[in-house]
């Protein structure tokens, strides 16, 4: 080269003399992905193919996964097909009203047993060779069984793999791991905060509309973490245009304060987290409109909720609550969108979302919930677009090698959480916080590195 | 000829089928636009109740492997079924449905 010697030494990042070893991910490597003390996170947690494969086994093979709501399948024979991680499953209401979940895979040659989204069935028949299963997932018919199969062929041994299924106040969860704790143990002290959406009335909740499904190119953890822990984006810049556009006509912007009072909660076990504003209704008004805001804060139903939850603060004062039950069950109490983040490789997520309402809410309130969640949090929702844009852009940036090398800052609220109060118990900190995110990643790392529930369990 | 009461007319609404288990072999009773028919309930292909199937235009489709039969004649209407159904004489008297089980014969 003809250029002269450079005098200044730039700190250029690349050193091409050494290739990075393809990581084999020892426990020590995985433990290093999050440093809670320093407050840093290794972004390969969102991009690495090997971590993703391990995650399917160690997280999605052992965690309780949200499949839907009991009212998705009210009658015997009602079913829906969904996923636990990448594994397709069928959720079926039995004749005795119990629920069963089994792998949507015919053990004969591996074909999908049921190929529709949902409906009502008497039986399920594989469309490849006609092996047929009853509602309980038992193999009941094999064409040409006596003519073609060997004498020791036993149908009872060849049903699909079953999962455990349990419900919490209407939400249906399933788990592959026979040694995992019960759902209630798994939810730990987070149930108290789930009840803000699920238990405002003795009537419980019901689903309105169907399941909305769409695909975005980002890792599922961006979405799960934000619903777990990130009010910061809502109180800063992400949703400003949506908030402005959603305010009732003629409302003075100075009356629509961005709230500053609120709390964040990190579950004592399990990686679950939530956060909410207290008192200031401006943002809720911009998201859900006056009818839903009034229903939640100043109506007969709000009075009943106050009695039922035993607290005016919990029933009427909580605004824009966000929540994740580890790993992929997220919802917004009050706004009432519920979703499962379905992992589809490290770089893609299917979002399966539905809306719940108090089962005894007036029809006009249910209709308003349908309209507003469609407008705000859905495939075309204005706030959903803002969120997705951030997650997808981060994923896109992380295609870069340099970008993947730089650890992220996850320091907000570090060391500042304390014991909550009567209304908001547990580990509680300020509303703008990343304590719950640290909890979510801690649980992820524990599930990735601890094979036994004896150490991992609550 | 011995007709026996199997159910009331109102037990089988239009477009529906009902499984009756009072005889040696279960039978299925169908309501096709107000006309009542009866066949053997067990599909001749797989061991499965036809009354659980889908009835459309007088044709019953088994839910197990989608074989179809004409409920009036017992004839096969779609594979993988190969053998016709046994059909039974039916009478409707004053809102009650009677079937002559002994007079059942294989359809053609």
């Amino acid at each position: 080269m003809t250029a002269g010697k450079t005098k200044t030494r730039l700190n250029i990042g690349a050193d091409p003399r050494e290739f990075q070893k393809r990581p084999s991910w020892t426990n020590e490597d995985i433990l290093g992905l999050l440093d809670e003390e320093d407050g840093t996170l290794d972004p390969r947690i969102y991009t690495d193919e090997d971590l993703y494969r391990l995650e399917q086994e160690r997280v999605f093979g052992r965690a309780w996964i949200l499949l839907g709501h009991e009212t998705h399948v009210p009658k015997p024979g009602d079913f829906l097909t969904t996923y636990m991680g990448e594994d397709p499953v069928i959720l079926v209401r039995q004749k005795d009203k119990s629920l069963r979940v089994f792998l949507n895979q015919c053990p004969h040659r591996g074909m999908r047993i049921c190929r529709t989204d949902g409906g009502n069935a008497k039986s399920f028949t594989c469309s490849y060779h006609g092996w047929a299963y009853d509602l309980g997932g038992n193999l009941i018919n094999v064409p040409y069984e006596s003519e073609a199969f060997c004498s020791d062929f036993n149908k009872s041994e060849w049903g699909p793999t079953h999962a455990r299924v349990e419900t919490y106040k209407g939400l249906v969860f399933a788990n592959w791991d026979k040694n995992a704790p019960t759902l209630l143990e798994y939810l730990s002290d987070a149930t108290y905060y789930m009840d803000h959406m699920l238990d405002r009335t003795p009537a419980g909740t019901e689903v309105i509309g169907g399941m909305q499904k769409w695909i975005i190119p980002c890792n599922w953890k961006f979405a799960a973490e934000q619903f777990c822990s990130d009010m910061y984006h809502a109180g800063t810049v992400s949703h400003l245009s949506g908030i402005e556009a959603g305010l009732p006509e003629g409302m003075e912007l100075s009356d629509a304060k961005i709230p500053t009072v609120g709390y964040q909660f990190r579950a004592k076990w399990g990686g679950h987290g939530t956060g909410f504003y207290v008192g200031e209704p401006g943002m809720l008004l911009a998201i859900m409109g006056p009818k839903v805001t009034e229903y939640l804060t100043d109506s007969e139903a709000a009075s009943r909720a106050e009695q039922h939850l035993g607290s005016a603060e919990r029933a009427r004062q909580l605004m824009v609550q966000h929540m994740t039950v580890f790993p992929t069950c997220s919802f917004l109490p009050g706004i009432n969108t519920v979703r499962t983040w379905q992992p589809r490789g490290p770089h893609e997520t299917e979002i399966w979302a539905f809306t719940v309402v108090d089962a005894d809410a007036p029809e006009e309130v249910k209709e308003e919930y349908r309209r507003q969640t469609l407008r705000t949090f859905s495939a075309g929702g204005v706030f959903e677009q803002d969120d997705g844009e951030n997650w997808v852009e981060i994923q896109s940036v992380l295609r870069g090698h340099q970008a993947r090398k730089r650890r992220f800052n996850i320091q907000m609220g570090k060391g500042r959480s304390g014991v909550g109060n009567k209304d908001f118990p547990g580990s509680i900190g300020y509303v703008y916080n990343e304590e719950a995110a640290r909890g979510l990643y801690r649980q992820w790392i524990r599930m990735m590195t601890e094979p036994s529930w004896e150490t991992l369990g609550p | 000829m011995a007709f026996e009461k199997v159910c009331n007319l109102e037990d089988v609404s239009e477009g529906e089928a009902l499984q009756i288990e009072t005889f040696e072999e279960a039978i299925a009773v169908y309501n096709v636009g107000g006309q009542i028919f009866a066949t053997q309930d067990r599909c001749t292909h797989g061991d499965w109740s036809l009354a659980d199937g889908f009835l459309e235009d007088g044709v019953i489709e088994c839910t197990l492997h989608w074989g179809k039969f004409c409920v009036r004649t017992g004839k096969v209407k779609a594979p993988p079924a190969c053998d016709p159904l046994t059909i039974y004489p039916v009478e409707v008297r004053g809102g009650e449905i009677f079937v002559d089980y002994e007079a059942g014969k294989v359809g053609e």
Side-chain angles (χ1 to χ4, degrees):
Chain A
M1 303 295 282
T2 53
K5 282 180 185 169
T6 46
K7 284 181 181 162
T8 50
R9 269 177 72 90
L10 292 177
N11 185 15
I12 306 290
D15 182 353
R17 289 171 303 180
E18 274 190 49
F19 287 135
Q20 219 173 38
K21 264 192 300 183
R22 186 167 174 82
S24 55
W25 296 110
T26 64
N27 271 5
E28 201 182 353
D29 295 336
I30 294 171
L31 287 165
L33 290 167
L34 171 71
D35 187 331
E36 277 206 72
E37 220 149 274
D38 282 352
T40 61
L41 181 73
D42 188 323
R44 286 177 299 171
I45 203 168
Y46 305 113
T47 60
D48 190 90
E49 299 277 350
D50 295 329
L51 279 179
Y52 182 81
R53 281 295 132 209
L54 293 176
E55 184 181 89
Q56 287 298 307
E57 172 199 1
R58 299 177 184 183
V59 176
F60 290 93
R62 301 199 291 162
W64 285 97
I65 306 295
L66 175 72
L67 299 190
H69 192 278
E70 288 222 50
T71 58
H72 275 125
V73 286
K75 297 190 301 292
D78 284 353
F79 71 95
L80 68 89
T81 54
T82 179
Y83 290 85
M84 294 167 66
E86 295 252 32
D87 282 306
V89 294
I90 312 177
L91 164 68
V92 198
R93 178 74 67 180
Q94 304 296 299
K95 285 180 178 146
D96 67 1
K97 292 292 187 133
S98 65
L99 292 166
R100 282 216 187 167
V101 172
F102 48 89
L103 193 62
N104 192 358
Q105 180 198 37
C106 182
H108 173 221
R109 312 298 307 153
M111 176 59 178
R112 200 181 294 269
I113 294 168
C114 177
R115 303 176 66 193
T116 55
D117 291 344
N120 186 276
K122 308 283 189 188
S123 56
F124 299 99
T125 303
C126 177
S127 57
Y128 197 176
H129 305 97
W131 282 29
Y133 304 86
D134 67 12
L135 296 180
N138 305 298
L139 178 61
I140 49 165
N141 187 278
V142 172
Y144 301 108
E145 180 183 348
S146 57
E147 295 91 330
F149 281 79
C150 41
S151 58
D152 59 357
F153 175 75
N154 183 350
K155 284 205 291 289
S156 69
E157 292 169 8
W158 290 101
T161 305
H162 281 252
R164 293 164 63 190
V165 53
E166 292 181 25
T167 65
Y168 181 75
K169 295 187 179 177
L171 296 185
V172 180
F173 294 83
N175 192 320
W176 294 116
D177 188 346
K178 63 176 186 234
N179 298 316
T182 65
L183 176 63
L184 206 58
E185 288 171 304
Y186 178 91
L187 295 174
S188 184
D189 56 347
T191 53
Y192 183 89
Y193 292 92
M194 298 172 74
D195 289 352
H196 296 160
M197 180 176 75
L198 298 172
D199 202 9
R200 288 176 66 85
T201 154
T205 55
E206 65 184 26
V207 168
I208 49 170
M211 187 87 77
Q212 269 210 4
K213 305 168 186 176
W214 67 99
I215 298 171
I216 57 173
C218 72
N219 189 277
W220 64 271
K221 288 188 276 310
F222 289 117
E225 182 214 302
Q226 186 189 290
F227 275 66
C228 183
S229 180
D230 192 337
M231 191 70 99
Y232 195 42
H233 79 290
T236 51
V237 298
S238 273
H239 296 308
L240 286 182
S241 59
I243 291 168
E244 193 182 332
L247 287 172
E249 220 175 325
M251 186 168 173
E252 287 293 327
L253 281 176
S254 54
D255 289 338
K257 284 198 207 96
I258 290 177
T260 54
V261 178
Y263 300 107
Q264 184 175 102
F265 161 85
R266 170 178 170 169
K268 70 179 177 202
W269 183 89
H272 325 305
T274 184
F276 42 83
Y277 294 122
V278 178
E280 197 64 62
M283 195 180 292
L284 180 64
L285 200 57
I287 298 171
M288 293 303 280
K291 196 175 274 183
V292 167
T293 303
E294 189 187 331
Y295 175 76
L296 288 170
T297 61
D298 186 22
S299 69
E300 226 171 278
S303 306
R304 283 202 303 273
E306 182 179 328
Q307 290 223 307
H308 196 62
L309 288 168
S311 156
E313 281 221 319
R314 293 177 71 201
R316 296 169 181 268
Q317 298 286 306
L318 289 202
M319 302 294 161
V320 200
Q321 186 180 345
H322 57 80
M323 187 157 193
T324 290
V325 167
F326 184 87
T328 45
C329 161
S330 292
F331 48 92
L332 302 176
I335 294 166
N336 288 10
T337 176
V338 185
R339 63 269 311 279
T340 305
W341 316 107
Q342 312 273 19
R344 292 294 177 267
H347 311 291
E348 192 167 281
T349 302
E350 272 180 36
I351 303 177
W352 289 41
F354 56 93
T355 299
V356 298
V357 289
D358 292 340
D360 57 2
E363 282 308 313
E364 55 167 27
V365 170
K366 291 180 181 175
E367 172 60 13
E368 186 68 1
Y369 262 105
R370 190 189 66 77
R371 285 182 60 243
Q372 294 290 7
T373 50
L374 211 57
R375 190 182 69 78
T376 54
F377 288 95
S378 69
V382 292
F383 296 97
E384 196 86 44
Q385 303 298 310
D386 299 336
D387 290 333
E389 196 67 11
N390 288 320
W391 307 333
V392 166
E393 279 289 273
I394 302 167
Q395 194 77 38
S396 172
V397 170
L398 287 175
R399 292 172 70 98
H401 177 72
Q402 306 304 328
R404 281 184 202 188
K405 283 206 308 189
R406 185 68 197 264
R407 288 174 77 93
F408 288 179
N409 180 303
I410 188 166
Q411 296 177 327
M412 193 170 16
K414 191 161 59 82
R416 294 180 62 170
S417 283
V419 179
N421 55 41
K422 175 178 72 65
D423 280 314
F424 305 119
S427 171
I428 291 285
Y430 184 52
V431 63
Y432 296 139
N433 212 322
E434 281 158 353
E435 180 66 15
R438 290 187 289 274
L440 180 135
Y441 291 117
R442 173 57 57 208
Q443 178 69 12
W444 184 87
I445 281 170
R446 290 194 63 192
M447 292 196 81
M448 292 284 280
T449 54
E450 296 178 39
S452 167
W453 285 102
E454 276 176 29
T455 62
L456 178 59
Chain B
M1 294 276 278
F3 279 95
E4 281 181 56
K5 183 189 167 183
V6 293
C7 60
N8 293 319
L9 186 56
E10 64 188 23
D11 297 335
V12 201
S13 41
E14 265 191 45
E16 297 293 325
L18 181 70
Q19 187 192 48
I20 304 284
E21 288 186 293
T22 52
F23 304 111
E24 196 183 334
E25 295 268 346
I27 66 166
V29 174
Y30 311 88
N31 183 334
V32 181
Q35 271 197 293
I36 305 299
F37 301 97
T39 71
Q40 72 182 72
D41 183 53
R42 191 171 56 79
C43 178
T44 57
H45 171 254
D47 181 11
W48 197 245
S49 167
L50 289 173
D52 269 352
F54 300 106
L55 181 62
E56 192 172 45
D57 297 334
V59 173
I60 186 75
E61 181 184 41
C62 181
T63 57
L64 217 55
H65 299 107
W66 311 292
K68 292 181 187 178
F69 305 90
C70 173
V71 302
R72 187 171 56 84
T73 62
K75 270 189 179 171
V76 173
K77 290 299 207 181
C82 303
D83 300 320
L85 297 174
T86 298
I87 55 175
Y88 301 94
V90 176
E91 284 185 13
V92 180
R93 304 175 201 151
E96 295 180 331
I97 297 173
F98 292 78
V99 168
D100 187 344
Y101 182 74
E102 299 300 328
K105 62 172 196 290
V106 177
E108 295 156 33

